[in-house]
Structure formats: structure tokens, C-alpha cells
Amino acid sequence: MKANKFTVNTTATKLVTAEPMTRTVYIHSSSGSVYLGGPTMAATSDGLHVPNGDTIAITVPANETLYGIDGAGTATVIVLDWDAAE
């Protein structure tokens, strides 16, 4: 597993890249709220809400990506993901 830190703002930011296998990743909103969804997210109403301080596990299907957006400013998001190098 590897942990990556992202700064998410009002533009959709890629949090999880596509891999050839289904996997479970953990998303932690360490400052601010983040909304999860696809690459065409344009507003928070397009995504699944992860409130400030919360952590969720999400299954990402093979060959899919996951994006985050913050509608009010900037959020810091930590993603614990599978490490292809391991």
C-alpha cells in the first residue's frame, strides 16, 4: 500500500489512477470536505460527499479512475492505495 496526499479545489482532481484490477482504496479528508466521482465532475452535487475528518473505503473497478472536488475552496485528501511496485 502507498499513501498519497492531494490538494483538491474547485476543479476535478484525479485521486486514483486506472489499474488493470479491482481494488479497495481508502480516502481520508484531512482538511475540508471533498466530493468523489468521475472526471467530468463540475460541481459538488455530482459526487459522493466525504466530510472533513472522515475516512471511507471505496472499491475502484478495474480500469477506472476516481476524482475529487471541493466546492468551497481547498481540501487536503489522503489516499491509501495499492502499490503496483510491490
Side-chain angles (χ1 to χ4, degrees), residues 16-37:
V16 177
T17 58
E19 295 288 344
M21 60 185 276
T22 298
R23 67 217 194 266
T24 300
V25 298
Y26 298 88
I27 309 289
H28 175 68
S29 183
S30 64
S31 70
S33 291
V34 66
Y35 296 79
L36 305 176

Side-chain angles (χ1 to χ4, degrees), residues 53-75:
D54 279 7
T55 301
I56 66 166
I58 190 165
T59 301
V60 180
N63 303 310
E64 291 291 332
T65 55
L66 183 66
Y67 286 75
I69 193 170
D70 181 325
T74 302

